[in-house]
Amino acid sequence: QVQLVESGGGLVHSGGSLRLSCAASGSIFSILAMGWYRQAPGKQRELVATITSGGSTNYADSVKGRFTISRDNAKKTVTLQMNSLKPEDTAVYYCNIVTLTLRSWGQGTQVTVSS
């Protein structure tokens, strides 16, 4: 069983920054990728950023240049540095892990950006 524990959400003014962290624990083998998704009220969950075990990254167009994803393979953690936040970034952010045998989600952390 895999557990993902997220931290770092909160309330910030437009233009501010937040840093999200996610730690994975449990029976985890052969992590292929970790990443962040978000879901705003009334909208579908969407990709924010992902990073493979080799370090390749993928970002949603809406966050390119503002968000940076990084990971520590040894510690099984993934971090999302979010700068120049906008009100449209407001959402619940979910950590995600993909291995050879499973895909798992964290419980989510709320990010609210006020204008």
Side-chain angles (χ1 to χ4, degrees):
Q1 190 173 358
V2 175
Q3 289 186 327
L4 299 175
V5 178
E6 300 131 329
S7 61
L11 172 64
V12 65
H13 290 298
S14 181
S17 298
L18 283 174
R19 186 179 179 91
L20 304 182
S21 295
C22 174
S25 62
S27 300
I28 304 171
F29 304 97
S30 300
I31 297 175
L32 298 178
M34 297 184 74
W36 292 92
Y37 290 71
R38 67 187 181 187
Q39 187 166 16
K43 295 187 177 181
Q44 290 187 331
R45 190 172 297 188
E46 63 177 5
L47 178 146
V48 177
T50 61
I51 184 167
T52 68
S53 57
S56 296
T57 57
N58 182 41
Y59 294 92
D61 288 342
S62 60
V63 307
K64 284 180 181 177
R66 300 188 297 122
F67 292 10
T68 302
I69 190 170
S70 59
R71 64 183 285 176
D72 184 322
N73 290 335
K75 295 182 179 179
K76 298 184 178 66
T77 59
V78 62
T79 300
L80 185 68
Q81 178 66 44
M82 305 186 294
N83 299 327
S84 302
L85 283 161
K86 305 175 181 180
E88 51 263 44
D89 294 318
T90 295
V92 177
Y93 284 69
Y94 295 91
C95 179
N96 173 262
I97 185 171
V98 179
T99 74
L100 285 175
T101 58
L102 61 82
R103 180 171 187 160
S104 187
W105 297 90
Q107 292 190 331
T109 184
Q110 177 69 46
V111 171
T112 303
V113 185
S114 63
S115 57

